[in-house]
Amino acid sequence: MTLALEPIADPSAPLARRNPVAKLGAALLFSLPLIATVDPFTPATALVLELILLPFFGVRLRQLARRAAPLLLAAAGVLVAMTMFAAERSGDLLFSIGAFDVTTGVLASAIGLILRIFAVALPGIIVFATTDPTDLADALVQNAKAPDRFAIGALAAFRLLPLLASEWRTLTLARRARGIDAGRNPLAKLRLFVSTSFALLVGALRRGVRLAVAMDARGFDAGTPRTYARRQHFTGADTALMAGAAVAAGTILTFSVLLGFFHPVVG
């Protein structure tokens, strides 16, 4: 069975052509400062800038939305948790849900945290959507001086990740063929989900062990200098990308402070 992953970006786009290490570094430099504040303004501004830059990465919005869909579950979980368990309920009362009071302060904190989740995760999604895993592994070794074993292991994980969905379907169909079906019972569905997840995890661990043995047999841990079929060059444009990401993050934080929106995590 052949698994084909639909590309969601144009590889000839200006920023999509940049070195994988430069794109990964730029994503980190742009995202990490956003963790320093809990206000909604900073991540909202970062999200607007990220969406403006999408065409320069050649990203297809429809496929990007599909990959970012799991973030909606995280956002819903944050909203429910903040509504129910927020320690500080400042601001005006909007409405009550049983014993829980939803105030403007609680809602602003929840929105700020949700925006931070999207603002921090979206650069990573864009980087991995516009980067070939083999190029990333080569760039990590050649440009970031990462160990060969780590880089090739990460590459193998990327290549094998799509198999998990196929194995989940196979396990589900096999159990259904043996008459194991939860029907409409929610507890039975939960038990079946847990057992199927455990079987999937065991299969993944076994595959990982076989892969590690195969890598050792091929001398990936021998310390011998290796050659590369693809040379990854780190150019001035790659340095400019990382510098631009750092400057953009610093500018957003500066405007947040000057406009009075900045609210540090600590203090």
Side-chain angles (χ1 to χ4, degrees), residues 20 50 52 72 79 97 101 119 131 154 158 171 176 207 219-220 230-231 259 261 266:
E50 291 165 8
I52 291 174
L72 296 176
L79 184 61
I97 304 176
D101 296 331
T131 304
F158 274 116
L171 288 171
R176 190 173 298 170
R207 186 182 297 109
F220 279 95
R230 304 182 185 182
R231 298 300 303 179
L259 296 176
F261 292 106
V266 180

Side-chain angles (χ1 to χ4, degrees), residues 27 30-31 34 47 50 64 67-68 71 74 114-128:
F30 185 76
S31 302
L34 302 177
L47 272 175
E50 291 165 8
L64 178 66
R67 290 204 178 185
L71 294 178
I114 291 172
L115 289 174
R116 284 171 68 200
I117 291 174
F118 280 92
V120 170
L122 192 57
I125 294 174
I126 294 173
V127 168
F128 288 105

Side-chain angles (χ1 to χ4, degrees), residues 156-180:
F158 274 116
R159 294 301 188 192
L160 294 176
L161 188 61
L163 292 177
L164 294 179
S166 177
E167 287 194 0
W168 182 274
R169 289 193 296 269
T170 302
L171 288 171
T172 302
L173 293 175
R175 295 189 174 203
R176 190 173 298 170
R178 296 198 301 267
I180 303 176

Side-chain angles (χ1 to χ4, degrees), residues 21 24 135-155 220-221 223-226 228:
V21 169
L24 188 60
D135 290 338
L136 177 60
D138 288 341
L140 286 174
V141 174
Q142 297 175 41
N143 304 127
K145 306 304 179 183
D148 291 343
R149 188 181 182 90
F150 166 78
I152 303 301
L155 171 61
F220 279 95
D221 201 27
T224 304
R226 309 183 65 84
Y228 308 99

Side-chain angles (χ1 to χ4, degrees), residues 95-117:
F95 56 90
S96 299
I97 304 176
F100 305 104
D101 296 331
V102 180
T103 64
T104 54
V106 170
L107 195 59
S109 299
I111 293 175
L113 188 54
I114 291 172
L115 289 174
R116 284 171 68 200
I117 291 174

Side-chain angles (χ1 to χ4, degrees), residues 21-85:
V21 169
K23 289 189 288 186
L24 188 60
L28 291 175
L29 289 172
F30 185 76
S31 302
L32 290 181
L34 302 177
I35 304 177
T37 178
V38 296
D39 68 276
F41 173 81
T42 304
T45 307
L47 272 175
V48 171
L49 181 58
E50 291 165 8
L51 294 176
I52 291 174
L53 291 176
L54 284 183
F56 296 96
F57 284 96
V59 174
R60 297 176 176 89
L61 288 175
R62 185 174 182 180
Q63 295 299 324
L64 178 66
R66 289 177 56 186
R67 290 204 178 185
L71 294 178
L72 296 176
L73 295 177
V78 167
L79 184 61
V80 172
M82 290 292 292
T83 301
M84 297 179 63
F85 304 113

